[in-house]
Each structure stands twice: as structure tokens, then as C-alpha cells.
């Protein structure tokens, strides 16, 4: 069984403009964090993991720490880790700027 999480760093001047979607190999796009954080800035060493105590919808910027994604990752437990993973980050408003600094899929596996 696999347990998955994602780690990312995003600089953005208005977090509630940011929409983040994860696509696993051969899978469909999942909404993991959309329109959260109000007018505050940045996602700093943010971990999304279904086992975290706080939902990302209840978090506050700079979103440093561990949060439950908007769509649970438990459905990914048996997903193959091999293949192309993608993270789509978009801002849905004009006037503010930002960029995805880095991201990673974190896999905890049981042999």
C-alpha cells in the first residue's frame, strides 16, 4: 500500500487566486487546493497529505506545514508511482503575480 503526499513552494501575492491540481500517471486531474488563503501571500514548504490534522481550506498563508488536500489522496493508495506526475498551478485573477518554485511527490510505500 502506498501513502502519497505532495510538497510545494509557491510565491504569490494573493493566495486565494491560486488553483492547484495534481494529476497522477494515467489518472484524472484532482483539485488539491483552490482559492484558499484570502489576500495573504505564499505557500512555504506546504505539504498536502490526507493524514494531516488541518484541512487546507482552514489554513492560513503562508501555509507552512501539513494540510489535508481538498480531494483526498486515499484513492491514490494503489496508484503506480512510475510515470508522469503533473502539478498544474494557475491564478484565476489578474493583477497579482507568483510562481511555482518547486514541488515533489512524496511516496511512503510498504513492501
Amino acid at each position: 500500500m502506498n501513502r502519497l503526499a505532495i510538497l510545494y513552494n509557491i510565491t504569490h501575492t494573493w493566495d486565494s487566486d491560486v488553483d492547484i491540481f495534481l494529476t497522477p500517471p494515467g489518472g484524472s486531474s484532482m483539485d488539491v487546493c483552490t482559492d484558499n488563503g484570502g489576500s495573504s501571500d505564499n505557500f512555504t514548504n506546504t505539504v498536502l497529505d490526507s493524514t494531516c490534522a488541518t484541512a487546507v481550506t482552514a489554513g492560513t498563508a503562508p501555509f507552512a506545514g501539513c494540510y489535508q488536500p481538498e480531494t483526498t489522496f486515499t484513492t491514490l493508495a494503489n496508484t503506480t508511482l512510475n510515470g508522469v506526475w503533473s502539478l498544474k498551478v494557475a491564478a484565476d485573477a489578474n493583477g497579482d503575480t507568483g510562481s511555482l518554485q518547486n514541488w515533489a511527490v512524496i511516496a511512503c510505500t510498504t513492501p
Side-chain angles (χ1 to χ4, degrees), residues 8-12 18 20 42-44 89 98-102:
Y8 57 93
N9 286 282
I10 298 172
T11 58
H12 198 278
V18 177
I20 305 169
N42 303 325
F43 295 83
T44 305
V89 179
S99 64
L100 174 65
Q101 301 297 306
N102 53 56

Side-chain angles (χ1 to χ4, degrees), residues 84-102:
V84 176
W85 290 80
S86 66
L87 190 72
K88 178 183 176 184
V89 179
D92 57 12
N94 294 325
D96 293 292
T97 60
S99 64
L100 174 65
Q101 301 297 306
N102 53 56

Side-chain angles (χ1 to χ4, degrees), residues 16-99:
S16 67
D17 291 347
V18 177
D19 300 336
I20 305 169
F21 298 88
L22 176 69
T23 304
S28 299
S29 177
M30 304 169 58
D31 176 358
V32 297
C33 181
T34 299
D35 300 329
N36 298 301
S39 62
S40 296
D41 302 347
N42 303 325
F43 295 83
T44 305
N45 292 320
T46 306
V47 174
L48 294 182
D49 183 335
S50 295
T51 65
C52 296
T54 303
V56 72
T57 56
T60 57
F63 289 95
C66 189
Y67 302 90
Q68 296 170 11
E70 289 190 42
T71 302
T72 183
F73 290 166
T74 57
T75 59
L76 298 176
N78 295 314
T79 297
T80 180
L81 300 176
N82 297 323
V84 176
W85 290 80
S86 66
L87 190 72
K88 178 183 176 184
V89 179
D92 57 12
N94 294 325
D96 293 292
T97 60
S99 64

